[in-house]
Amino acid sequence: MKKIIIIFTIFFSSMFSQQNPWGGISVATSDNLDALSLNPAGLGVDRSSQGGLSLFNLTKGDESQYMLHTANRGDGFGSTFRLENQNDKSDMFYSFGLGFELGSPQILGGFQWFSEKQFRFGSLIRSMKSVSVGITADYDQNINDWSLFRAGAGVRPIGSKVTLGADLFSYDTGFENIHTSIFAEILPMEGLKVSLGYSPAVNNDEEEFRISVGVNFGVVDGFF
């Protein structure tokens, strides 16, 4: 059965939500459509077939930017398409990803190619049901160098309804400036998921607090 994930932002959207349009929050927990924006190793987790559509709007002064995202995944493969429109100019971007098993207990690997001439390599390690570890590395062909390293861990201390964890970021191979993102995912009731994220201010980056609410309608999920 095909599962459709639809995301709407009605009033505003942040840059974080545009970069992670499928409700994902960590490289350690992304194994649905969010694997295509965070960790391609999550494509190796069997989630049947999934497809998604999202629309974002970002307004700065007199300028408005619109983004249309689509994504599909199934049988370990995934693809994305993004259309950006700003100042009456449109650009198209796309990507292809693959996730697969590397070993047992559950160890997964994956890679993703982006039309912006970028590659992402990822892995997921879930040797215990209550712990998940994810690692990704991005390579940018435009500069012929690594552009982002990310490692995250998630734990479920009281069962499957609460996940707590953190991700660490580095934008250079020297790992001199480490950025941190703390997250929590809560399932307060059947069909409802609340995700919280916090990133403290580092250098010129402002601190950021994120919240998303996911509602499951059977074959359709909505994220706000």
Side-chain angles (χ1 to χ4, degrees):
M1 179 179 293
K2 190 173 182 64
K3 183 178 182 181
I4 304 173
I5 297 179
I6 304 177
I7 303 174
F8 295 103
T9 54
I10 301 174
F11 300 108
F12 66 90
S13 63
S14 68
M15 287 305 296
F16 182 88
S17 63
Q18 293 181 46
Q19 295 167 1
N20 300 272
W22 311 116
I25 200 166
S26 169
V27 295
T29 61
S30 51
D31 53 21
N32 287 288
L33 275 184
D34 52 1
L36 289 163
S37 55
L38 288 168
N39 189 348
L43 296 172
V45 179
D46 185 9
R47 291 286 186 254
S48 187
S49 296
Q50 296 179 327
L53 171 69
S54 68
L55 177 64
F56 293 101
N57 166 249
L58 180 66
T59 301
K60 291 183 178 180
D62 296 331
E63 297 182 357
S64 292
Q65 181 181 19
Y66 298 91
M67 289 188 181
L68 174 68
H69 296 257
T70 66
N72 285 277
R73 62 160 290 180
D75 298 323
F77 295 92
S79 63
T80 66
F81 173 80
R82 184 174 87 250
L83 177 65
E84 296 185 9
N85 181 275
Q86 185 175 14
N87 299 330
D88 298 324
K89 178 184 177 182
S90 297
D91 296 298
M92 294 183 295
F93 307 92
Y94 50 90
S95 75
F96 300 97
L98 174 66
F100 44 84
E101 290 187 3
L102 288 175
S104 182
Q106 195 172 26
I107 302 175
L108 304 167
F111 63 87
Q112 190 174 3
W113 174 81
F114 299 85
S115 61
E116 298 97 311
K117 295 184 178 180
Q118 296 176 342
F119 287 90
R120 175 169 296 157
F121 304 90
S123 64
L124 270 177
I125 303 172
R126 293 177 172 174
S127 56
M128 295 182 291
K129 291 184 177 180
S130 59
V131 179
S132 179
V133 176
I135 301 172
T136 62
D138 291 12
Y139 186 82
D140 191 338
Q141 286 185 295
N142 298 292
I143 60 175
N144 291 321
D145 201 358
W146 298 97
S147 58
L148 174 64
F149 296 91
R150 183 167 177 170
V155 297
R156 291 177 170 175
I158 55 174
S160 61
K161 293 187 179 297
V162 177
T163 303
L164 305 174
D167 279 21
L168 301 177
F169 308 77
S170 177
Y171 294 95
D172 60 81
T173 55
F175 301 97
E176 296 179 355
N177 295 312
I178 304 296
H179 302 249
T180 305
S181 176
I182 303 169
F183 69 87
E185 293 182 337
I186 305 169
L187 304 175
M189 58 185 293
E190 187 69 26
L192 179 65
K193 180 172 73 172
V194 179
S195 300
L196 306 171
Y198 172 72
S199 299
V202 177
N203 297 333
N204 295 325
D205 294 336
E206 297 180 354
E207 67 176 353
E208 185 176 57
F209 178 76
R210 305 175 298 276
I211 179 171
S212 68
V213 178
V215 183
N216 186 292
F217 300 100
V219 295
V220 177
D221 282 359
F223 287 92
F224 306 88

